[in-house]
Amino acid sequence: MATTSAAPDTPASRQSYGRGRATGQPLVSQLPFLWALLLGFPAESRASVDTPPHSIKVEGDITLGGLFPIHARGLAGVPCGELKKEKGIHRMEAMLYALDQINSDPDLLPNVTLGARILDTCSRDTYALEQSLTFVQALIQKDTSDVRCSNGEPPIVPKPERVVGVIGASASSVSIMVANVLRLFAIPQISYASTAPELSDNARYDFFSRVVPPDSFQAQAMVDIVRAMGWNYVSTLASEGSYGESGVDAFLQISREAGGLCIAQSIRIPREPRPGEFDKIIKRLMETSNARVVIIFANEDDIKRVLEAAKRANLTGHFLFVGSDSWGAKIAPVLNQEDVAEGAVTILPKRASIEGFDQYFTSRSLENNRRNMWFAEFWEDNFGCKLTRPGLKLDSGQRKCTGEERIGKDSPYEQEGKVQFVIDAVYAMAHALHHMLTDLCPGAPGVCSRMDPVDGGLLLKYIRAANFNGSAGTGVMFNENGDAPGRYDIFQYQMSNSTIAGYKVIGQWTNHLRLNTEEMQWPGGERQAPDSVCSFPCGPGERKRMVKGMLCCWHCELCDGYQHLLNEFTCETCPFDTRPTPDRAGCRPTPIIKLEWTSPWAVVPVVLAMLGILATTGVIVTFVRFNDTPIVRAAGRELSYVLLVGIFLTYLITFLMMAEPSVTVCALRRLLLGLGMCVSYSAMLTKTNRIYRIFERGKKSVTPPKFISPASQLIITSLLISAQLLGIFIWFALVPPHTIIDFEELHPPNPELARGILKCDMSDLSLIGCLSYSMALMVTCTVYAVKSRGVPETFNEAKPIGFTMYTTCIIWLAFVPIFFGTAQSTEKMFIQTTTLTVSMSLSATVSLGMLYIPKVYVIVFHPERNMQKRKRSFKSVVQAATVSTRLSHKASEKQNGDIRGDAERPR
């Protein structure tokens, strides 16, 4: 006896159950965790499985699961949509019919009743997986240790039903999703409609079998049909998912191997198509309008929407569809689209109409089919009427169902194409259980303890070993991967007398094609097959890429990047110093650029350098004019002039860096880039070293140290500068200066933006090497400035030099990350050149401003302070400095003592 575990069949209840939720029910503690762990879905969003989903329950000794697309996929977040009369109800009733036949057969599973738990997948893989968790709940232990009844006793938890095998699913994507879970619990699965080649992978889907052949067989049959009709230019259309994509992949692979067939477009229909998506697909197909033949691996809903879109585009009769078994001989996809579908050639696994099922199904009524909880919804849809319920009023125009209507008399009826395979799948499971029962329970009246529970792995072996005549009289068997042999009928959708449409058998395929072309009819009643041929000439800059082994067709590929068209079949990369012409017919020289004087990257450094040169010249002129005054003499005239020359050269290098590269310019860049800074810092280092030695010696003796005379200072400075010059001349000898054109620096993907850069042969590393000696002098000078910081500024220039070096160090520390951080920039040369010249100008400006501008100010605006004073000896100078230093130390110690005293005094 069959029962249903569901609420009354109302639209509200269908919507509620369609979402797979039952409010107020506790979740099985382990199952949501398993769901989230295996599938990555939030556990809280899964359906409760303590309460079975919207399903049909048929009582029996052994329970089989069933998965059928009773409803179409819902829209706008609703899992379930409209009822599927043929693909859903017909197939599901076929399973109930097969169970009735098996249970009434005394020779098959004697004394054993097969039961079932049948679920609705709503044509959606994720929803089907959620529903199918019902099948595995018996295999998951519930933790009831913390649950007690009101009297303190542990609860008595009813044992959930155990499903030993599953019949289904229909869509390959659903079967793949469900198979991944069922294999974890060793539950065998036999599909009646899933044909994706992926499911033949016995390593991944070891508990999956099917009574229909895989798509690789029907793909071969479809290739044979296309070739037999003389078509060599076709497009492919596939629903997103394993069925559609793997079917098209198999077709493409076989067509490549066979040769003589070209693919115009390969389009995929999204799993959740947006509004207007199918109109876009038709528009894309029309981009290659010569490819009139469309190979379609799509689900029933997508097929219907494609036909509707073609009709909206006024393309009736243009496309010639070759459909897979998902189209087969179904009425639903072509309903109200007969003129668009005319001439379509479809394929269906070889089948026969099961007369017994016709008698069974046409005799179903509301009274004798109460076990099918969806039958009332089917009844309303099939007869276009409405069942009345207490308190329900009919809308205007609705007809009341009387219950006396009869299927096949008051409504059209044709057996759905997969009914035979549903029956064969149930019988395959029954034969496997029968042989298992015979081997494990010989002589036992029913199921013995050795089959309680049923070992899924052992049952799988019996399924794979099954070999019997199916409901249509053809053999049912499985190979090592669980696949059935390939046998197909070829149909064509034809319109007789331009009014009556229907499917007509025009051939069959069993490892080879037998096609009766004389029986074929095309749109408009034509007997001659329309053409669908290749290929169009390629456009400018496009080469022909011949499809391997297919002389009929080629793909047009744009020569990309820096390629040009060598001949009609070959793209060749242009030489490194050229780029392709706009039409890619040849190559043209790459434009050469350099840093222009008018560029914003050059204007700022040049203005700074000009101002610096003017200021430096003014200081030099002032010092020459007042050469014998105390301030100029106290500043060390000789070293000051050397330092000012270095500053002048530092400013001057900016103009060389901005000038157009040539051998002379490159040589001067090498010479002067580091020389200006080297001259400046050599003079400053000599100064700070002299000051440091004088006052260090003064602490120990009144005798002046050696080499502090102006001549000695000039010699020391010259020696320091000569080291830089020696390195530069060695560089000249090893690598003579020359210019290069760098085509790699500005070589973007778009060749129109490519440029060659005229530059000197100085790499980033050589540039830094050129400055490294000056940097070492700068750091050493900074160290001496730090050591001389205690000497009173009344007697020397140590502190101004110290501040100069601190500031200069900060400038060059900022320079390094900017310079190297822009190495990947498309404007690397401009940024680095500007950064370098600005940094050098700033360092020169700091030296000029801190060391000489104050002196010039005094000389020009306060000449009274530039008067000759009494000359003091070296001894008096040292003694004064020593006294000043000691007084400073004592004052500091006293201040620290007062602070410590205040801190220690109790408060």
Side-chain angles (χ1 to χ4, degrees), residues 258-302:
L261 183 61
C262 302
I263 306 300
Q265 294 198 67
S266 190
I267 301 175
R268 185 176 64 181
I269 302 172
R271 192 184 301 272
E272 299 287 348
R274 293 174 292 184
E277 188 71 39
F278 290 92
D279 295 322
K280 293 179 183 177
I281 289 173
I282 295 299
K283 187 176 181 180
R284 282 190 60 189
L285 289 173
M286 284 304 296
E287 292 175 2
T288 51
S289 57
N290 280 9
R292 296 182 60 184
V293 172
V294 179
I295 309 299
I296 183 165
F297 278 83
N299 60 56
E300 183 180 320
D301 296 332
D302 288 344

Side-chain angles (χ1 to χ4, degrees), residues 242-260:
S242 56
Y243 172 78
E245 294 176 34
S246 60
V248 165
D249 289 343
F251 178 86
L252 295 177
Q253 180 178 351
I254 295 170
S255 66
R256 282 193 295 266
E257 295 171 355

Side-chain angles (χ1 to χ4, degrees), residues 277-550:
E277 188 71 39
F278 290 92
D279 295 322
K280 293 179 183 177
I281 289 173
I282 295 299
K283 187 176 181 180
R284 282 190 60 189
L285 289 173
M286 284 304 296
E287 292 175 2
T288 51
S289 57
N290 280 9
R292 296 182 60 184
V293 172
V294 179
I295 309 299
I296 183 165
F297 278 83
N299 60 56
E300 183 180 320
D301 296 332
D302 288 344
I303 294 169
K304 185 174 183 179
R305 294 175 187 176
V306 168
L307 296 178
E308 290 173 347
K311 190 171 185 177
R312 285 195 300 272
N314 197 26
L315 292 173
T316 300
H318 176 80
F319 293 113
L320 306 172
F321 295 97
V322 178
S324 63
D325 62 343
S326 60
W327 186 333
K330 295 188 182 74
I331 299 297
V334 299
L335 189 62
N336 300 324
Q337 315 297 331
E338 292 83 357
D339 51 348
V340 184
E342 184 182 6
V345 178
T346 62
I347 189 170
L348 191 65
K350 195 170 184 63
R351 66 184 179 94
S353 182
I354 310 303
E355 184 178 349
F357 177 78
D358 288 341
Q359 296 174 356
Y360 162 83
F361 192 74
T362 54
S363 66
R364 298 297 90 190
S365 67
L366 294 172
E367 294 299 323
N368 63 17
N369 200 22
R370 294 183 180 275
R371 65 180 177 180
N372 183 350
M373 61 177 303
W374 295 289
F375 198 69
E377 186 180 357
F378 166 80
W379 196 270
E380 292 179 336
D381 189 88
N382 189 57
F383 294 108
C385 60
K386 197 71 177 177
L387 293 171
T388 58
R389 300 177 182 85
L392 178 65
K393 293 183 179 180
L394 296 177
D395 295 335
S396 59
Q398 286 186 327
R399 183 173 64 86
K400 177 182 178 182
C401 297
T402 63
E404 300 299 324
E405 299 89 350
R406 287 295 174 261
I407 300 172
K409 292 182 180 180
D410 301 313
S411 67
Y413 165 76
E414 183 177 355
Q415 189 178 122
E416 200 273 334
K418 292 293 196 303
V419 163
Q420 168 197 341
F421 300 106
V422 176
I423 296 172
D424 288 346
V426 178
Y427 265 88
M429 193 74 75
H431 278 283
L433 288 168
H434 178 82
H435 292 299
M436 187 177 182
L437 183 68
T438 303
D439 292 344
L440 298 183
C441 306
V447 179
C448 66
S449 58
R450 295 183 66 186
M451 285 187 63
D452 188 16
V454 173
D455 184 341
L458 185 59
L459 177 59
L460 177 66
K461 294 180 180 178
Y462 281 100
I463 291 173
R464 296 290 172 84
N467 190 340
F468 61 95
N469 286 331
S471 55
T474 56
V476 176
M477 63 193 75
F478 305 96
N479 63 15
E480 65 277 6
N481 295 322
D483 295 329
R487 294 186 292 262
Y488 296 96
D489 283 327
I490 312 298
F491 296 87
Q492 187 181 39
Y493 192 72
Q494 299 180 355
M495 297 185 70
S496 302
N497 300 323
S498 301
T499 54
I500 304 173
Y503 292 97
K504 184 175 183 178
V505 178
I506 57 171
Q508 54 186 328
W509 189 93
T510 51
N511 296 323
H512 65 277
L513 178 66
R514 293 192 297 274
L515 194 63
N516 187 359
T517 56
E518 296 178 356
E519 296 293 327
M520 303 182 76
Q521 180 178 302
W522 305 99
E526 294 290 332
R527 291 292 177 176
Q528 181 68 32
D531 292 329
S532 184
V533 295
C534 216
S535 227
F536 298 107
C538 291
E542 294 180 337
R543 73 177 178 97
K544 294 179 181 178
R545 181 173 66 86
M546 303 302 296
V547 178
K548 186 178 180 181
M550 299 181 187

Side-chain angles (χ1 to χ4, degrees), residues 728-793:
I728 291 173
F729 288 130
I730 292 174
W731 187 11
F732 279 159
L734 295 177
V735 184
H738 60 279
T739 61
I740 59 172
I741 299 176
D742 187 352
F743 292 98
E744 296 297 328
E745 186 169 315
L746 281 180
H747 198 73
N750 184 0
E752 293 300 314
L753 302 178
R755 298 291 185 270
I757 301 176
L758 179 63
K759 56 167 55 173
C760 292
D761 63 324
M762 294 179 65
S763 64
D764 294 346
L765 185 61
S766 62
L767 187 145
I768 296 301
C770 193
L771 296 174
S772 59
Y773 181 66
S774 300
M775 299 292 182
L777 293 175
M778 180 181 69
V779 171
T780 307
C781 188
T782 303
V783 171
Y784 274 111
V786 171
K787 289 185 175 183
S788 303
R789 67 186 183 278
V791 178
E793 60 180 286

Side-chain angles (χ1 to χ4, degrees), residues 138-195:
L139 303 175
I140 300 177
Q141 288 289 337
K142 294 183 180 180
D143 183 10
T144 59
S145 58
D146 59 345
V147 180
R148 289 291 183 271
C149 297
S150 58
N151 59 2
E153 295 294 327
I156 300 175
V157 179
K159 184 179 180 181
E161 63 181 350
R162 185 183 182 91
V163 173
V164 301
V166 174
I167 306 300
S170 178
S172 294
S173 59
V174 176
S175 288
I176 288 172
M177 190 76 84
V178 173
N180 281 317
V181 171
L182 295 183
R183 68 185 296 269
L184 300 178
F185 298 92
I187 298 178
Q189 175 185 1
I190 302 178
S191 174
Y192 49 81
S194 298
T195 56

